[in-house]
Amino acid sequence: MKVLVTTLTAAAVLALFSASASAALDDAKAEALMKKSGCAACHTVDKKLVGPAYTAVAAKRKGEKDAVAVMEKSVRAGSKGVYGPMPMPPNPAAKISDADLHDLIEWVLTK
Ligand code: HEC
């Protein structure tokens, strides 16, 4: 039992460490995460597909107060009518974790 607790604690500490160490995504990591999480089916950085290009999203949201929180909520809960008639369906945590979503949104805002 003690071994299990120690192992779990070590895993939690490691998880915390890697979460804080991965704050900024580079382009390659971000693109891989977009593919893994299904975002790439509808988004590219600079071309409109089903969803707006991330450059268009960044142009709209950059400088907005609470931009990160607003965008995280749009992705989680879904969104429509902001960029056009096409809706974005909700993206649950099973598709992308809170930490990964946060990093990805911060990356989008650099575009
Ligand atoms: C089925 C297609 C589809 C998928 C899958 C999808 N999106 Fe979207 N996304 C859209 C559309 C369409 C919009 C524009 C919605 C609107 O006009 O309100 C959008 C909007 C956005 C925005 C802008 C939100 C805002 O409030 O400014 C972000 C950021 C975004 N998507 C990120 C993501 C991420 C990250 C994922 C993957 C976890 C993802 N999207 C998956 C279609 C999609």
Side-chain angles (χ1 to χ4, degrees):
M1 187 60 192
K2 186 149 188 259
V3 174
L4 181 63
V5 171
T6 313
T7 312
L8 285 177
T9 310
V13 170
L14 262 183
L16 272 178
F17 244 93
S18 54
S20 59
S22 76
L25 290 177
D26 61 26
D27 285 354
K29 278 194 191 136
E31 302 269 2
L33 191 53
M34 290 232 300
K35 277 205 192 108
K36 193 181 102 188
S37 310
C39 323
C42 297
H43 293 282
T44 73
V45 170
D46 55 3
K47 284 191 197 68
K48 180 175 162 24
L49 294 181
V50 178
Y54 283 159
T55 48
V57 172
K60 173 176 171 53
R61 294 291 186 199
K62 232 181 254 182
E64 258 182 41
K65 196 171 158 280
D66 301 330
V68 173
V70 168
M71 291 161 70
E72 282 176 5
K73 190 158 169 267
S74 299
V75 176
R76 268 281 177 263
S79 166
K80 69 175 180 204
V82 179
Y83 296 86
M86 194 62 92
M88 171 163 60
N91 295 274
K95 273 178 93 178
I96 185 165
S97 72
D98 282 347
D100 282 349
L101 177 57
H102 185 85
D103 288 352
L104 201 50
I105 293 292
E106 295 208 316
W107 172 79
V108 168
L109 283 169
T110 67
K111 295 298 145 194

